[in-house]
Every structure is written in structure tokens, then in C-alpha cells.
Amino acid sequence: MSEPAQQTQRPYRPEISRLWWLRRRSYVFFVLRELSSIFVAWSVVFLLLLVRALAQGEAQFRAFLDWAAGPWVVALDVLTLAFLVLHAVTWFNLTPAATVVKLRGRRVPPRAIAGGAYAAWVAVTALVVVLVVTR
Amino acid sequence: MEPVLWLLFSAGGVVSALFLPVLVFLFALAVPLGWIEEPGRDRLLGLLGHPLTALVLLGICVLSLLHWAQRFRYTLFDGLRLKAHERPINVGVYALALLGSAAAAVVLWQAVAARSG
């Protein structure tokens, strides 16, 4: 058993393709969830462009709304909303795994924590809609 | 440093999940496409340029960008197997997140000033 040292000490590096996540549906889902962060960032950029146009004046605000109603921007924003919902649902579903809440020495059941997260989502959504829509 | 970044990632995950879907639905689809009666600039500026709203929006923007930075760099490391380029990626994503946060502060400040001025 006398192998040359160079050969025996070479570290094992399995070849993994950059497209490894296309091999299984669960991998694709994982990558889609990870990609949601790009759409989170785009949402921030979009909202800041809106606020900037609002601050600049009526003409800039009109121009922004026309731009936002264009087919490419609408398509991007529909995709964005889909990824935001994917992010929210996967995030709230994982909340019980990440948070252990104890009340009077008893662990609050995971379902109650997830339910609380969804209730908070509904409450925030309703509040924002009421603030923006009612006059 | 790493635990702090994960904490900010989580905070940004919660905030973006709670607030961004409704904000994008309203301001990126419902208002531009006329699904709801358009509120008008004065009313929207009155709402979004209010100091309290602006502060909340700044928090949403900064935490969401930090959430993006942490998750996106792991997307690059794991998804595209770019762990070998860890340093430039770390510097790049957090520089972008800080730049975006500064831009958010400036823009929201302009809205507050426009509302009161």
C-alpha cells in the first residue's frame, strides 16, 4: 500500500453543476423562495420612485403613474406581487419553527403562532387599505 | 457581526412579508391601472409625507433591503455556487443595501418637506 502522497491527500470535491437546483421540484421551490428577495428589493425601489415623484410635483406624479401603467412595468409588478406572496406565506409558515413562545410554563402550540402571524398580516393589510382608500 | 446580520434579515423578513404585498398591490397595480379611485397627489402626499408615515416607511425600506442583502448573498453562494467570491459579494450587497437606505432617507425627507412646504 504505497500510494504517492499527492494522490491520497487530494481533497474530495464532488462536481456540482451551477444548475443543480433544476433537478428536483423541491429544489426549484427552494430557489424560487430565495429569489423572492430580489422582488423585495424591487418593491422598495418602486415605492421610493413613487414617493420621489409625489415630492417633486403634480406633473412628475402623473408621469410616474403613466410609466407604472405601461405593459412591461405592470408585468414586472404582477410577478413581484406573486413572489411577495410566496415570501410572506413561506415566512409565516416557518415562524412557529423559529419562535418558541411559553405562556405560564406551557409551550404555545405552533399552529397558534402561525395563526397569529397570518392574523397580523390581515390586520396590517386592512389598515393600509383603509388609510389609502378611504377619504 | 454575523448574528446581527441574521437578526436584521429576520426583522426585514417579517416587515416585508407584512407590508410589501399590500403596498405593491395598491401602488403598483390598483392605482396606476385605475382599479380604485385614484387618491390624488395632495391626499397621497398628505399620507406618505406625514412624518410618522415617513418614519415607518423608512424602517420598512431599510429592513427590507437588509433582508434582501442577506438572502441574496446566500442565493449567490448556494444557488450559483459562488462561495469562492465571498468577500466581493459581501461588500457589494451590503454597499448596495446601505446606498438604498441612504436614498430612502433622502427621498422620504423630500416628501416630508414637500408636504409641509
Side-chain angles (χ1 to χ4, degrees):
Chain A
M1 296 293 276
S2 57
E3 295 276 336
Q6 257 187 337
Q7 250 179 24
T8 52
Q9 286 181 359
R10 195 192 298 151
Y12 171 64
R13 283 213 194 88
E15 289 284 325
I16 302 176
S17 137
R18 283 192 205 284
L19 298 175
W20 58 269
W21 41 272
L22 280 178
R23 295 170 114 198
R24 278 196 198 177
R25 193 178 294 181
S26 59
Y27 296 169
V28 173
F29 185 75
F30 162 78
V31 168
L32 285 180
R33 197 192 70 191
E34 295 302 294
L35 284 179
S36 69
S37 76
I38 295 173
F39 296 92
V40 167
W42 164 247
S43 310
V44 171
V45 171
F46 182 91
L47 292 172
L48 289 176
L49 288 175
L50 164 70
V51 174
R52 191 180 67 148
L54 270 175
Q56 282 173 339
E58 183 69 29
Q60 285 87 346
F61 178 53
R62 292 288 136 212
F64 174 84
L65 287 185
D66 286 344
W67 171 78
W72 288 106
V73 182
V74 168
L76 174 61
D77 287 338
V78 168
L79 190 67
T80 299
L81 186 60
F83 270 95
L84 287 177
V85 170
L86 174 72
H87 163 63
V89 169
T90 52
W91 193 272
F92 295 141
N93 286 347
L94 275 178
T95 310
T99 12
V100 175
V101 183
K102 288 198 172 172
L103 261 185
R104 295 197 195 111
R106 278 196 189 172
R107 187 174 169 181
V108 175
R111 282 186 151 217
I113 295 178
Y118 279 103
W121 193 20
V122 170
V124 166
T125 302
L127 176 70
V128 173
V129 167
V130 165
L131 280 176
V132 173
V133 175
T134 57
R135 46 190 68 219
Chain B
M1 196 62 191
E2 199 74 353
V4 177
L5 295 181
W6 280 110
L7 196 70
L8 292 167
F9 162 78
S10 299
V14 174
V15 165
S16 57
L18 287 176
F19 285 91
L20 290 184
V22 64
L23 289 176
V24 165
F25 174 76
L26 285 175
F27 292 123
L29 297 174
V31 171
L33 296 177
W35 295 349
I36 58 172
E37 198 187 338
E38 192 226 294
R41 176 178 177 249
D42 288 346
R43 225 189 81 76
L44 273 187
L45 188 61
L47 180 64
L48 300 184
H50 188 284
L52 195 65
T53 325
L55 205 63
V56 171
L57 284 174
L58 181 64
I60 294 172
C61 289
V62 172
L63 287 175
S64 296
L65 287 173
L66 290 169
H67 169 84
W68 164 79
Q70 184 79 347
R71 185 166 251 184
F72 187 63
R73 72 194 180 101
Y74 279 95
T75 306
L76 296 180
F77 294 165
D78 302 333
L80 293 180
R81 307 201 49 77
L82 293 173
K83 187 84 178 163
H85 308 286
E86 191 171 357
R87 268 194 87 94
I89 287 174
N90 287 349
V91 172
V93 294
Y94 278 104
L96 273 177
L98 291 180
L99 212 67
S101 301
V106 170
V107 165
L108 288 163
W109 176 253
Q110 285 170 346
V112 173
R115 178 182 183 265
S116 59

